[in-house]
Amino acid sequence: MPAYEYRCLDCRKRFEVFMSYSEYGTREVTCTHCGSKRVQRRIGRVRVARSDDSRLESLADPDNLAGLEDDPRTLGRMMRQMKSELGEDMGDVFDEVVDRLEKGQSPEDIERDLPELGSDEGGDFGGMSDLD
């Protein structure tokens, strides 16, 4: 039997009601906390699973790549999306670079301010100016 989520409009508490599909829409629902009939159905979040290939395809979409050369903010947004799609922790240096790009700082200025980007310890961020 499915569980349906509700929120009471009087006491503001959330609660679940178990009922069959045939009961839904015909059975009266009352708040389990205060007994009020003034309740509102809550629709929970829906999560869509995507394959790794699908995630990578969306990152390679030409519309997502437009403007990367000219706009550091666009580059920063794309890098943040890439991190989100890959679901991996890219480290503090990556986050610092993305934050600076999103604020409009140029890749050259970031590389100058963060000398560790060019070192082996900086990971794959050496040569960021190649993105320009």
Side-chain angles (χ1 to χ4, degrees):
M1 215 184 295
Y4 296 93
E5 292 181 41
Y6 288 87
R7 180 174 63 100
C8 178
L9 298 175
D10 290 332
C11 73
R12 299 284 199 210
K13 294 194 179 182
R14 295 179 183 180
F15 61 96
E16 287 184 345
V17 174
F18 293 93
M19 65 179 97
S20 68
Y21 291 114
S22 60
E23 290 177 302
Y24 179 75
T26 59
R27 179 176 152 193
E28 185 174 64
V29 177
T30 58
C31 176
T32 57
H33 301 282
C34 72
S36 173
K37 294 180 183 181
R38 291 181 10 98
V39 297
Q40 182 179 46
R41 169 87 193 278
R42 291 186 31 86
I43 305 297
R45 290 185 179 169
V46 177
R47 187 170 184 141
V48 177
R50 292 173 50 191
S51 69
D52 289 340
D53 290 340
S54 172
R55 290 178 181 193
L56 293 175
E57 280 179 30
S58 71
L59 289 174
D61 182 352
D63 291 338
N64 290 339
L65 303 176
L68 291 182
E69 295 175 1
D70 303 323
D71 183 12
R73 288 180 178 92
T74 302
L75 177 60
R77 281 192 299 273
M78 191 277 304
M79 290 175 69
R80 189 170 305 281
Q81 180 185 7
M82 177 181 69
K83 176 184 173 183
S84 174
E85 290 291 335
L86 295 176
E88 295 189 22
D89 182 15
M90 305 295 279
D92 293 339
V93 174
F94 181 88
D95 292 336
E96 173 74 15
V97 169
V98 170
D99 288 343
R100 288 173 176 241
L101 287 168
E102 289 179 330
K103 291 177 183 171
Q105 191 173 6
S106 73
E108 294 85 9
D109 290 343
I110 295 170
E111 194 168 29
R112 193 171 25 259
D113 291 347
L114 300 172
E116 66 270 18
L117 291 178
S119 72
D120 291 333
E121 298 165 5
D124 295 330
F125 296 106
M128 270 188 67
S129 58
D130 293 343
L131 297 173
D132 299 299

